[in-house]
Structures are given as structure tokens and as C-alpha cells.
Amino acid sequence: MQPTDTDRALRTSEDYPIHVDFLPKRVVPLSGLLGMTIAPGKCNQGMRFHWCRNLSLDLARLRHDYGTNLLVTLLEAEEMVDLQIANLLYKPFPPTA
């Protein structure tokens, strides 16, 4: 039986901070790190969860906790609209401390 929207657990930036998985240096021999994560700030009905993330909080965590200074997305413009993050590419990272 498929879960209904009301059965899906809510996932927010506050309750479930954004997490990055990094590729090993032996796979990507770069001077920096290459990591992958979910779309920061996404808000949508997923297959397992209802996502209602905060773009500013997610970007701040990426910057301050992971040292991220460049964000590359594989999402198309239409997908960003569907995830309610159409401004993702225009939202600046918070300044470093």
C-alpha cells in the first residue's frame, strides 16, 4: 500500500540538517573535495517524505560546516521550480566567518 501525503514524515532543515557525502580522493584527485547532497532548500512531496527545507539554512550549513564555496546542480530549471528553489543559482552563499 502506497503512503498518503499525510503519512509522509516531514523533513526540515532544522530537524534534518543537510548532509554531504564526499567522493574519495583516490576517485577524484582534486585539490578540493567533491561531494553530493540533496537539493538545498527543496520543498516537495517526495516518495517517502514531505520535504520543507530552508534554502538559507541549508546554504549556511554547507558553507560553515562543510566549507563549500561552489555549488553545482544537475537539476534543470523546471525541476528547480517544482522543488520551489527556482532562485537556487541566484542565492549567494553566506560569508565565511
Side-chain angles (χ1 to χ4, degrees), residues 58-69:
D58 284 349
L59 291 178
R61 179 169 164 84
L62 290 171
R63 165 69 89 193
H64 298 297
D65 292 7
Y66 292 101
T68 304
N69 58 23

Side-chain angles (χ1 to χ4, degrees), residues 18-65:
I18 198 163
H19 174 77
V20 179
D21 289 306
F22 291 98
L23 295 173
K25 284 287 203 182
R26 63 180 167 68
V27 175
V28 185
L30 301 171
S31 60
L33 297 172
L34 180 61
M36 294 178 285
T37 188
I38 62 172
K42 75 182 208 166
C43 294
N44 75 322
Q45 295 285 339
M47 291 183 67
R48 293 182 49 210
F49 306 112
H50 174 82
W51 297 95
C52 190
R53 304 192 61 81
N54 179 296
L55 181 56
S56 295
L57 287 178
D58 284 349
L59 291 178
R61 179 169 164 84
L62 290 171
R63 165 69 89 193
H64 298 297
D65 292 7

